[in-house]
Amino acid sequence: MLQPPPAEPGMREEEVDTPALLLDLDAFEHNLDLMARLLEPTGAKLRAHAKTHKSPVIALRQMARGAVGQCTQKVAEAEALAWGGVPDILVSNEVVGARKLARLAALARIAKVALCVDDPAQIAAAEAAAADAGIRLSVLVEIDIGTGRCGVAPGPEAVALAERIAASRHLVFGGLQAYHGSAQHMRTPAQRRAAIAAAADGARRTVEQLRQRGLECPIVGGGGTGTFALEAGSGVYTEIQAGSYCFMDADYARNEEAPPFRQSLFVLATVMSAARPGVAVVDAGHKAVPIDSGMPLVWGRDPDVRYTRASDEHGGLVVAPEARNPPKLGEKLRLVPGHCDPTVDRYDWYVGVRGGRVECLWPVAARGGMA
Ligand code: PLP
Ligand code: MN
């Protein structure tokens, strides 16, 4: 159940109850504008990934700046977006199980809906769900272009699946899903360039083989925050699926030639103990800020104040002896999460701030474990 929000519009940031998910609206809007500006000359369109933000409010702001739609990873995210008025949604993932497929097919009455497959059995299941609902679903073939997650090999296997989709009465062949996840955090630009060059080759070859069989690819989708400029410049990808770019996180900032976006997402925490010299404790442990991609950073205080230890509800800070401004009991600190996506999933509300004041409260509509 949705908790009451930790703030009210007009409050000062220091008055927001903690831990809270804070969104710096100036930085966030800068990021949305910058992505639109960077993609514009490439011809590739943004289909931003909503697994990051889980919010129709944010989705519609991305679309107001030219995004053609949204990606989701789960049916529950697609529902939250469609119910919130998002008109074009690609589940960039395999959807397995009759109940999930029926939920997705039901959404096709209020939004354009597409999903991915990598197996003939999934095509049959999607066809059955679409037929039951009396709608047509757009289906993309996922190809594995280097990540080793889902997807068939580029080339003939993918072509065979596409032909099977095209021959299904209630399905439309939607194109190729070709996301290279493990390239996003490759640390050097040379590694990322090599990975996406190989990915684009696989996608290009598959597009050509499909064309020889008379099948056009309306969408060739992929690209995340770490590599989107490479996919967009490849001439093969038509849609970019970056998600984290709107918030950024400490792990993306560790890439050499890091993505050119500003940190807009924070966990606001309160110093709950400063009883001993050299250390302090905040009320945001790993239940409040995930540590799967490293510890959070203390915004504006690093390296004098470093978050070094997380337990369930406590975050342990180490304070350098020479620190000029050691954390005080009751002080509020902004933490930069190591990984933005799971951070958002821990909160019911975005607390949007501008100029030190709370401006808006947006629900994290698709929060939670439901698939
Ligand atoms: N596309 C797909 C299929 C993904 O799985 C992801 C993230 O895992 C993304 C796009 C977006 O990646 P990022 O948030 O790193 O931009
Ligand atoms: Mn992520």
Side-chain angles (χ1 to χ4, degrees):
M1 204 179 65
L2 218 63
Q3 301 287 317
E8 287 164 27
M11 261 184 185
R12 286 182 297 113
E13 181 173 325
E14 305 82 72
E15 296 174 301
V16 173
D17 205 357
T18 62
L21 186 67
L22 209 68
L23 187 60
D24 179 323
L25 294 168
D26 285 335
F28 167 73
E29 289 166 8
H30 167 88
N31 293 345
L32 298 195
D33 290 339
L34 179 58
M35 180 59 97
R37 207 161 67 238
L38 291 172
L39 287 184
E40 216 272 325
T42 71
K45 303 294 183 199
L46 180 64
R47 181 183 289 279
H49 215 301
K51 72 196 266 283
T52 304
H53 58 67
K54 293 172 171 278
S55 157
V57 177
I58 292 180
L60 293 172
R61 278 167 166 72
Q62 291 170 321
M63 295 187 71
R65 288 159 170 90
V68 291
Q70 294 278 305
C71 291
T72 73
Q73 217 73 312
K74 310 195 291 182
V75 175
E77 292 164 350
E79 286 171 335
L81 293 188
W83 297 341
V86 174
D88 191 336
I89 300 164
L90 162 63
V91 183
S92 62
N93 211 352
E94 284 65 23
V95 177
V96 175
R99 174 78 193 124
K100 284 191 180 64
L101 285 165
R103 283 163 52 206
L104 193 66
L107 289 185
R109 295 201 192 89
I110 57 169
K112 205 168 149 221
V113 175
L115 75 158
C116 299
V117 301
D118 64 2
D119 193 291
Q122 292 172 286
I123 298 173
E127 166 66 16
D132 276 354
I135 51 99
R136 297 188 91 194
L137 276 173
S138 171
V139 181
L140 281 70
V141 173
E142 179 162 14
I143 54 175
D144 172 18
I145 36 76
T147 292
R149 192 168 64 178
C150 302
V152 295
E157 235 187 302
V159 174
L161 289 177
E163 289 184 320
R164 197 182 271 249
I165 294 165
S168 303
R169 268 189 64 193
H170 298 86
L171 306 182
V172 181
F173 174 58
L176 296 175
Q177 170 67 15
Y179 174 65
H180 197 324
S182 49
Q184 302 308 314
H185 292 270
M186 288 178 178
R187 291 303 183 209
T188 72
Q191 290 170 317
R192 298 194 293 272
R193 267 198 305 277
I196 301 308
D201 273 354
R204 188 178 292 114
R205 201 158 24 91
T206 312
V207 169
E208 278 161 14
Q209 290 174 15
L210 284 162
R211 194 163 290 149
Q212 284 162 13
R213 307 298 297 255
L215 285 174
E216 291 299 319
C217 272
I219 297 176
V220 179
T225 300
T227 65
F228 70 93
L230 300 167
E231 283 91 345
S234 68
V236 184
Y237 284 82
T238 65
E239 291 190 358
I240 297 302
Q241 303 179 339
S244 304
Y245 81 96
C246 63
F247 299 149
M248 285 294 287
D249 55 36
D251 199 32
Y252 260 128
R254 282 189 279 270
N255 276 6
E256 278 176 37
E257 296 182 24
F261 303 100
R262 288 167 57 186
Q263 186 64 40
S264 70
L265 188 83
F266 303 91
V267 168
L268 190 70
T270 301
V271 177
M272 60 191 284
S273 165
R276 291 178 295 128
V279 295
V281 181
V282 291
D283 62 353
H286 60 70
K287 285 186 179 174
V289 57
I291 53 173
D292 64 297
S293 301
M295 293 294 160
L297 303 177
V298 184
W299 180 248
R301 304 291 270 275
D302 195 68
D304 277 3
V305 183
R306 288 187 305 114
Y307 187 118
T308 59
R309 261 176 40 188
S311 50
D312 282 350
E313 305 288 2
H314 298 78
L317 309 183
V318 171
V319 185
E322 65 278 12
R324 266 170 294 150
N325 183 18
K328 293 175 211 43
L329 182 65
E331 186 180 352
K332 302 241 159 105
L333 298 174
R334 284 183 174 195
L335 306 179
V336 178
H339 189 183
C340 57
D341 309 72
T343 303
V344 169
D345 199 45
R346 282 159 162 71
Y347 292 88
D348 286 323
W349 296 95
Y350 290 99
V351 179
V353 294
R354 198 187 315 265
R357 294 255 174 208
V358 176
E359 185 174 303
C360 60
L361 293 152
W362 296 338
V364 182
R367 179 190 179 188
M370 173 110 174

